[in-house]
Amino acid sequence: MVKTLYDCCLQCIAINLRTLNRPGVYLTRSQKEVLLERMCWHEQFTKENLPAISYYLLSDNLNRIHLSYSDKVTDDVIKLLCTCKCSPKWLTVHSCKTITSKGLLFFTELVSRVETLQLRKLPGLNDSVMCSLAVGEPLTHLDLRDSEGVTNTGLIAVLKRCPNISYLNIAFLSQLTDRSLIEAAVQLKGNLVELDAAKVYNITSLSVQKLAEKCCNLAIVNFDGCLKLDGSGILMMAQRCKLTVLKLSFCYGIRSEAIGRILQCDVVKENLEELEVFGATFDCNTALHLDRFNCLSRLSLCGVVHLTNEMITKLPIKVIEAVVANCKNLETLMLAACREVDDTVVLSIAKNCPKLKRLSLRGCRATDPSICEIAIHCHELLLLALAGLHKLTDKSVIALVGNCPYLEELYISGCSLISPAATRYLK
């Protein structure tokens, strides 16, 4: 990777911040924000650097503060942000595991002006911190993903003060229950547009129905791994909301019949752009509804569980070919571990999906002729996963290199007939 002169200059400033003559006078607000983020990445928030960071980079006019993946970001750093009266509109603290709940309490006044608040994967984030946050009506984006100390009490305390939240990410908050989602529905109403509740294991269709009733503008929902959902709440949401993204992977309580009823909704057919059902229970009749989604641009069926051998045999011809023939806008198609996908299906993909950017055929039964057709017709490919396709040879690699100029990721592990020479050709 070649660095730009701008990047090199910023790196030089970060390394020599303590010895430069008043660099803060010459730096713009956005440059200070970028420097803070990059110094955090490179573990430069040391005790020796903190005075210079405080004096030259921190100020009350910063709009964006992003601190992530650093063990050097401690309670002292958070306290310093407050001392310097920083009041950003966008605040991200992500995977800084040395910050304790005591340090996070300094956020009380720091977030009064914040519009986007991301507090991800913070062991110290608990209900006491959540209840003390001085957030209010400006807050529109709240991301608490993987901060497992948050329970219903803390989340509800914030929701009651922030009725304008349009994006809510509570993924992996395993202590949450229906109570939190019902409160979100009551408080946020039509303002809520995007919800990520992946792996919130205790929610049921009761709270999803309340969301469908109150949050008519919901467009993007993720319920991956919500094992207690039975599909009735999702069906109500599909009927009342104009869903564009629906993620139901590993929702084993939602049976094939329920998925079929969801896919038959006219509102879903007209608006759905992205569907993920990894590991779902899918029969052939349910999957047949997929060919009617003209807006669909991303489809992920990896590891779909089929109920009978007869259905497995029918699926490629009746479903996947129908999908690729009718969903001309597909950009992402994930068919990993679908063993019934063979050259016939892949040739149909090549013919009908020229806009594909990401395609996974891991563990399928494609061979050189169909992969060469993919190379010829799908010039916009960025990612292609072919791992485990034992019959592929150097011919496929040469075709891809010659026809896919934007290809960034190619996975060919387990393709034993591809020679080391062809692999070197990729470089």
Side-chain angles (χ1 to χ4, degrees):
M1 184 178 71
V2 179
K3 288 186 177 181
T4 65
L5 179 59
Y6 177 81
D7 289 328
C8 292
C9 290
L10 287 180
Q11 183 179 9
C12 183
I13 293 170
I15 293 171
N16 299 286
L17 188 65
R18 283 181 293 162
T19 58
L20 292 173
N21 181 25
R22 298 190 304 153
V25 175
Y26 308 102
L27 293 169
T28 65
R29 180 178 64 194
S30 62
Q31 288 168 343
K32 291 178 181 179
E33 292 169 354
V34 172
L35 273 170
L36 282 170
E37 184 173 359
R38 294 189 183 183
M39 290 183 74
C40 179
W41 290 346
H42 296 290
E43 301 286 13
Q44 291 175 306
F45 275 64
T46 61
K47 288 184 178 180
E48 295 79 15
N49 283 337
L50 281 183
I53 290 172
S54 171
Y55 191 73
Y56 297 128
L57 301 183
L58 297 181
S59 64
D60 59 1
N61 71 338
L62 294 179
N63 277 334
R64 186 178 185 274
I65 297 176
H66 189 115
L67 307 174
S68 59
Y69 298 102
S70 175
D71 291 335
K72 298 295 183 183
V73 177
T74 63
D75 293 352
D76 291 336
V77 173
I78 305 303
K79 184 177 181 181
L80 191 61
L81 292 175
C82 297
T83 303
C84 296
K85 298 183 179 180
C86 295
S87 184
K89 291 184 178 180
W90 182 312
L91 177 63
T92 297
V93 184
H94 184 359
S95 298
C96 297
K97 298 180 181 179
T98 53
I99 302 177
T100 67
S101 56
K102 181 179 178 181
L104 289 172
L105 286 171
F106 288 115
F107 276 153
T108 300
E109 299 303 325
L110 186 64
V111 296
S112 61
R113 199 170 68 104
V114 76
E115 297 174 3
T116 296
L117 180 61
Q118 297 179 324
L119 302 176
R120 283 186 163 206
K121 209 168 186 177
L122 299 176
L125 186 61
N126 56 31
D127 289 342
S128 297
V129 176
M130 294 289 290
C131 291
S132 71
L133 293 176
V135 288
E137 292 188 0
L139 187 67
T140 58
H141 286 60
L142 178 61
D143 186 346
L144 304 173
R145 185 184 181 92
D146 227 356
S147 291
E148 296 183 350
V150 178
T151 72
N152 290 330
T153 302
L155 179 59
I156 290 173
V158 171
L159 292 174
K160 287 182 176 180
R161 298 196 296 270
C162 307
N164 295 317
I165 291 174
S166 61
Y167 171 88
L168 179 62
N169 190 334
I170 52 173
F172 297 92
L173 302 191
S174 56
Q175 297 189 68
L176 298 185
T177 66
D178 282 336
R179 185 182 160 206
S180 284
L181 281 190
I182 290 172
E183 191 66 32
V186 171
Q187 297 296 333
L188 306 183
K189 299 185 177 73
N191 290 322
L192 188 62
V193 175
E194 183 171 353
L195 172 67
D196 189 340
K199 301 293 181 70
V200 183
Y201 299 112
N202 292 314
I203 62 173
T204 69
S205 290
L206 178 67
S207 57
V208 178
Q209 288 172 359
K210 180 62 72 170
L211 286 167
E213 177 187 336
K214 297 287 187 180
C215 305
C216 57
N217 292 318
L218 262 176
I220 300 173
V221 292
N222 182 358
F223 291 112
D224 288 350
C226 294
L227 303 177
K228 294 185 179 181
L229 296 184
D230 61 12
S232 59
I234 305 295
L235 177 59
M236 185 174 173
M237 188 175 286
Q239 293 167 338
R240 289 171 174 252
C241 307
K242 295 181 179 180
L243 296 178
T244 58
V245 176
L246 179 60
K247 298 182 180 183
L248 298 174
S249 297
F250 309 110
C251 293
Y252 298 119
I254 302 178
R255 308 309 299 170
S256 185
E257 296 80 4
I259 295 177
R261 289 195 293 272
I262 292 166
L263 296 181
Q264 288 180 62
C265 293
D266 291 336
V267 179
V268 173
K269 293 176 186 177
E270 292 171 4
N271 296 282
L272 197 66
E273 299 174 5
E274 181 175 338
L275 175 65
E276 286 189 6
V277 284
F278 289 84
T281 303
F282 240 58
D283 65 25
C284 188
N285 293 328
T286 297
L288 280 171
H289 298 297
L290 291 171
D291 69 341
R292 300 180 178 92
F293 290 79
N294 294 328
C295 295
L296 202 64
S297 63
R298 177 182 171 92
L299 176 64
S300 300
L301 299 174
C302 298
V304 162
V305 180
H306 306 291
L307 301 182
T308 67
N309 288 332
E310 181 183 2
M311 291 171 184
I312 290 174
T313 303
K314 291 179 181 178
L315 188 66
I317 299 172
K318 286 193 173 183
V319 181
I320 297 178
E321 286 190 337
V323 168
V324 299
N326 290 280
C327 302
K328 303 291 186 180
N329 294 316
L330 274 178
E331 294 182 0
T332 301
L333 182 59
M334 312 299 280
L335 298 171
C338 293
R339 288 291 301 164
E340 63 276 15
V341 174
D342 57 11
D343 278 338
T344 302
V345 179
V346 179
L347 286 169
S348 181
I349 293 171
K351 177 183 177 182
N352 294 291
C353 301
K355 295 182 180 181
L356 273 179
K357 290 182 172 63
R358 293 170 179 83
L359 174 63
S360 176
L361 299 171
R362 293 175 188 266
C364 298
R365 293 190 290 119
T367 61
D368 282 334
S370 60
I371 299 302
C372 288
E373 287 299 306
I374 289 288
I376 291 169
H377 294 284
C378 303
H379 301 293
E380 298 180 22
L381 274 176
L382 299 173
L383 178 150
L384 181 60
L386 304 174
L389 274 62
H390 306 297
K391 295 184 179 181
L392 290 190
T393 69
D394 294 357
K395 185 177 180 180
S396 291
V397 174
I398 293 169
L400 289 166
V401 172
N403 292 279
C404 301
Y406 305 110
L407 192 62
E408 297 174 354
E409 299 178 61
L410 177 63
Y411 298 92
I412 52 173
S413 60
C415 300
S416 55
L417 297 181
I418 295 178
S419 68
T423 304
R424 287 194 296 272
Y425 186 52
L426 289 170
K427 301 176 182 179

